């Protein structure tokens, strides 16, 4: 299944926009997460958590899903394939890991954001809220690795890709010999 | 992910690229570290269970943990 050039360009544009947007949104989230982990000021903590809830639920999750789906379409709809090249396969696996952790983490973030938004929540309670630094730092690193792989596209076929390539070569040689 | 060109790798014998082996070693190290954090007390109250919702109220283990932390703080602030 190969996409037409127009469709491929469109999918690529959406994929790049959502992927880079995902990294940008996570960077913004990370800044707020650091604030939530280090600040002792009640207003700052409240504001940071409310913003983190909004960014995670309304920006990061949609961008991550779009990036994942367009990546899938791009790999399956072009000659790259999903399992033929290591850089595509590794990017795919890392994206699934990043997305799974994100989807598991989002309900927790919005629950904490709700607690922070509650005017009855005291300063002591706000200070005791757990941070998500481990996930946001890990997620940022993972997304950077994926981005670097996608830009450099290091050479290397998977055993499946190599077998397919050998099959195509054999077919080409037979066709050349016949013609 | 730009898919503008395909440069097929050549060679008659299959070899796993060196960069893939390096990434594999790094991934294995990270998995071991995460396992240590999850299954020992190093990471404190952390693990997949932290994300599981319990009850209709949507409370999580982490929130419970936070509330447990909050209780003694409030108790100590209320009693001078």
């Amino acid at each position: 299944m190969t996409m037409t050039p127009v469709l491929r360009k469109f999918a690529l544009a959406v994929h790049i926009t959502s992927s880079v947007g995902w990294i940008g949104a996570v960077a913004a989230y990370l800044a707020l997460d650091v604030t939530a982990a280090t600040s002792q000021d009640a207003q700052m903590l409240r504001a940071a958590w409310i913003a983190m809830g909004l960014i995670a639920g309304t920006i990061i999750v949609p961008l991550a899903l779009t990036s994942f789906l367009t990546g899938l379409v791009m790999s399956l709809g072009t000659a790259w394939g999903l399992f033929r090249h290591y850089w595509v396969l590794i990017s795919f696996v890392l994206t699934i890991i990043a997305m799974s952790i994100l989807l598991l983490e989002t309900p927790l973030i919005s629950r904490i954001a709700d607690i922070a938004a509650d005017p009855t929540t005291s300063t002591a309670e706000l200070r005791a809220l757990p941070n998500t630094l481990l996930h946001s730092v890990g997620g940022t690193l993972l997304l950077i690795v994926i981005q670097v792989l996608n830009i450099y596209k290091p050479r290397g076929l998977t055993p499946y890709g190599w077998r397919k390539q050998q099959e195509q070569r054999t077919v080409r040689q037979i066709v050349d010999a016949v013609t | 992910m730009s898919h503008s060109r395909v440069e097929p790798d050549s060679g008659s014998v299959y070899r796993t690229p060196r960069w893939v082996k390096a990434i594999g070693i790094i991934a294995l190290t990270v998995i071991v570290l995460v396992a240590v954090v999850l299954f020992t007390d190093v990471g404190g109250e952390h693990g997949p269970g932290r994300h599981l919702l319990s009850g209709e109220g949507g409370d999580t283990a982490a929130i419970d943990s936070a509330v447990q932390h909050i209780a003694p703080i409030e108790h100590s602030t209320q009693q001078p």
Side-chain angles (χ1 to χ4, degrees), chain A residues 1-173:
Chain A
M1 183 181 66
T2 309
M3 291 192 289
T4 61
V6 173
L7 189 63
R8 191 183 64 77
K9 279 275 181 205
F10 176 72
L12 179 63
V14 177
H15 183 63
I16 291 172
T17 306
S18 55
S19 304
V20 175
W22 185 3
I23 297 175
V26 169
Y29 179 90
L30 184 59
L32 294 166
D33 208 357
V34 170
T35 306
T38 55
S39 180
Q40 294 295 307
D41 181 64
Q43 272 189 310
M44 188 68 96
L45 286 168
R46 212 181 285 278
W49 272 112
I50 293 170
M52 282 159 73
L54 282 171
I55 290 177
T58 61
I59 301 176
I60 299 179
V61 170
L63 284 174
L65 290 172
T66 310
S67 171
F68 172 73
L69 290 175
T70 49
L72 207 60
V73 168
M74 290 296 297
S75 55
L76 293 174
T78 63
W80 286 102
L82 188 56
F83 303 106
R84 293 184 179 208
H85 296 264
Y86 272 115
W87 75 265
V88 180
L89 184 62
I90 293 171
S91 299
F92 179 63
V93 171
L94 292 181
T95 305
I96 287 177
I97 293 170
M99 219 174 55
S100 306
I101 294 171
L102 171 69
L103 293 177
L104 281 169
E105 190 77 359
T106 307
L108 174 71
I109 296 164
S110 57
R111 177 82 183 107
I112 300 175
D114 287 345
I115 292 173
D118 186 346
T120 60
T121 306
S122 69
T123 304
E125 286 171 326
L126 284 168
R127 287 177 185 160
L129 290 172
N131 65 69
T132 57
L133 263 181
L134 189 71
H135 292 109
S136 49
V137 170
T140 308
L141 292 175
L142 215 59
L143 293 178
I144 289 170
V145 169
I146 296 169
Q147 198 67 14
V148 168
L149 278 176
N150 280 266
I151 290 167
Y152 282 90
K153 297 182 181 58
R155 291 166 71 99
L157 290 167
T158 62
Y160 169 76
W162 186 79
R163 217 169 39 243
K164 283 282 170 194
Q165 192 189 60
Q166 297 299 313
E167 283 171 15
Q168 283 169 0
R169 274 187 189 164
T170 312
V171 170
R172 248 196 323 262
Q173 281 167 0

Side-chain angles (χ1 to χ4, degrees), chain B residues 40-70:
Chain B
T40 64
D41 289 336
V42 175
E45 290 279 339
H46 199 94
R50 176 180 189 252
H51 308 288
L52 299 176
L53 296 174
S54 61
E56 288 180 359
D59 285 334
T60 64
I63 300 295
D64 291 343
S65 159
V67 171
Q68 279 170 10
H69 286 119
I70 290 163

